[in-house]
Amino acid sequence: MVVQQRRDGGGARAVRALAAAGVIAVTAGCFGGDGGGGAGDGAGQRSVAADRPLDLLGRAADVLVEAGGAETRTSMETAAGGTRVTIRGQGAYDFRKQMGRLRVVLPKDAAGEDAAGAGGHRPITELLAPGALYMKNRGAGVPDDKWVRIDTTGLKDGNLVTGGVTDPMAAAELLRGAADVTYAGKTELAGVTVHHYRGVADLGRAARAASPQSRGALGAAAKGFSKDAVPFDAYLDEDGRLRKVRHRFTFSTDARGPEVSVVSTLLLYGFGLPVTVTLPDEDAIYTGEIRQG
């Protein structure tokens, strides 16, 4: 977890404002970086090296659905000017139900106070579901026993960056919009042989090709981001399962603000893991005002 702050004017102020807002601003949030490693569960017998890259990436989400559940680690790094903020998460995700539970750890407070101090943040529990994001320990003014619910189809980024975690299914579905793909070769990730692909995903194309559960959020992102093109690096194992993907998002916090760069990394391992996610009851949802800070 890294926080770097420099006196560099508008760029630094933009990132500080985003970080202080919670899991980077419920309406314009962001994060990124290199997720941690993961225990490798043995690769299958079928090689994917001979398959066409666009075909492989286009069906990566479907292969994950077949795999069912998986453990995940995430990292989101936001940078503007000389200021860099990294937020990490860890949990599990069910690709069949498109639901997951993650523990998101914020870095030191944007003002420099330690997370254990008065200005710090407790880890946030996030529940991911089609069209919705639930957060506990969301921020100031929210009772400890309450959840905040956000309609992700109403977010300008479709929750690709707002929650500090790119929804794993959305991350895979983005690859349906891949173009200009090159094969970067074979490598090893946590003891598993993987094939590395580089390319650029088009948000609009991905939204049109996405599953019905993901289409609304990706469609919102296609309209909300300043750039439709999302460069990526994807790593698939011998069975075509996505093991790691890194996306690079770029957007502006407002019409006059500087561009913000967000690098979101997702690692997947432990495939076949049973994942149980229970969404909170309506009476556990907080409907009051959320103070930023």
Side-chain angles (χ1 to χ4, degrees):
M1 191 182 310
V2 178
V3 181
Q4 298 177 347
Q5 297 186 43
R6 302 173 186 167
R7 297 177 180 268
D8 62 350
R13 288 194 297 272
V15 173
R16 283 197 294 271
L18 287 172
V23 192
I24 298 193
V26 159
T27 57
C30 39
F31 324 40
D34 234 339
D41 31 318
Q45 300 300 314
R46 185 180 62 83
S47 174
V48 301
D51 291 350
R52 294 180 62 237
L54 285 177
D55 292 341
L56 276 170
L57 297 171
R59 63 174 182 260
D62 298 326
V63 173
L64 290 176
V65 170
E66 293 175 6
E71 294 182 74
T72 180
R73 292 188 184 183
T74 67
S75 178
M76 192 170 283
E77 183 179 272
T78 306
T83 301
R84 192 176 302 277
V85 175
T86 301
I87 297 174
R88 303 191 186 279
Q90 185 170 359
Y93 192 88
D94 185 327
F95 287 94
R96 291 173 183 164
K97 296 180 179 178
Q98 296 194 16
M99 298 176 69
R101 182 185 183 97
L102 296 101
R103 182 178 183 267
V104 177
V105 180
L106 303 182
K108 289 183 179 180
D109 186 86
E113 297 185 49
D114 187 81
H121 303 282
R122 290 176 296 171
I124 294 175
T125 299
E126 294 193 4
L127 303 181
L128 307 174
L133 167 66
Y134 298 82
M135 296 189 292
K136 199 169 188 179
N137 296 337
R138 160 61 184 83
V142 181
D144 290 346
D145 62 341
K146 295 293 185 180
W147 294 80
V148 174
R149 183 188 185 281
I150 299 170
D151 178 0
T152 55
T153 63
L155 295 173
K156 289 185 178 181
D157 72 302
N159 196 34
L160 292 179
V161 298
T162 288
V165 173
T166 301
D167 183 294
M169 190 63 182
E173 298 253 38
L174 262 176
L175 298 177
R176 297 186 192 274
D180 301 324
V181 177
T182 59
Y183 180 58
K186 185 186 297 187
T187 186
E188 193 171 279
L189 180 64
V192 176
T193 298
V194 293
H195 298 272
H196 180 192
Y197 300 89
R198 291 194 181 100
V200 177
D202 181 270
L203 282 166
R205 186 187 303 124
R208 291 189 294 273
S211 64
Q213 297 95 320
S214 300
R215 198 169 297 149
L218 288 177
K223 296 176 182 177
F225 274 94
S226 57
K227 294 183 180 180
D228 282 344
V230 180
F232 67 84
D233 286 84
Y235 300 79
L236 280 66
D237 67 16
E238 296 286 355
D239 287 335
R241 296 177 299 193
L242 186 65
R243 291 282 183 155
K244 177 180 179 180
V245 62
R246 179 186 288 113
H247 293 103
R248 297 167 182 82
F249 303 103
T250 303
F251 63 95
S252 296
T253 54
D254 57 58
R256 296 172 297 176
E259 282 196 334
V260 176
S261 172
V262 179
V263 180
S264 178
T265 303
L266 168 74
L267 283 94
L268 297 169
Y269 55 100
F271 291 101
L273 175 79
V275 180
T276 300
V277 179
T278 302
L279 300 181
D281 296 330
E282 284 298 320
D283 59 4
I285 306 298
Y286 180 70
T287 58
E289 181 180 355
I290 300 174
R291 300 197 304 272
Q292 304 298 337

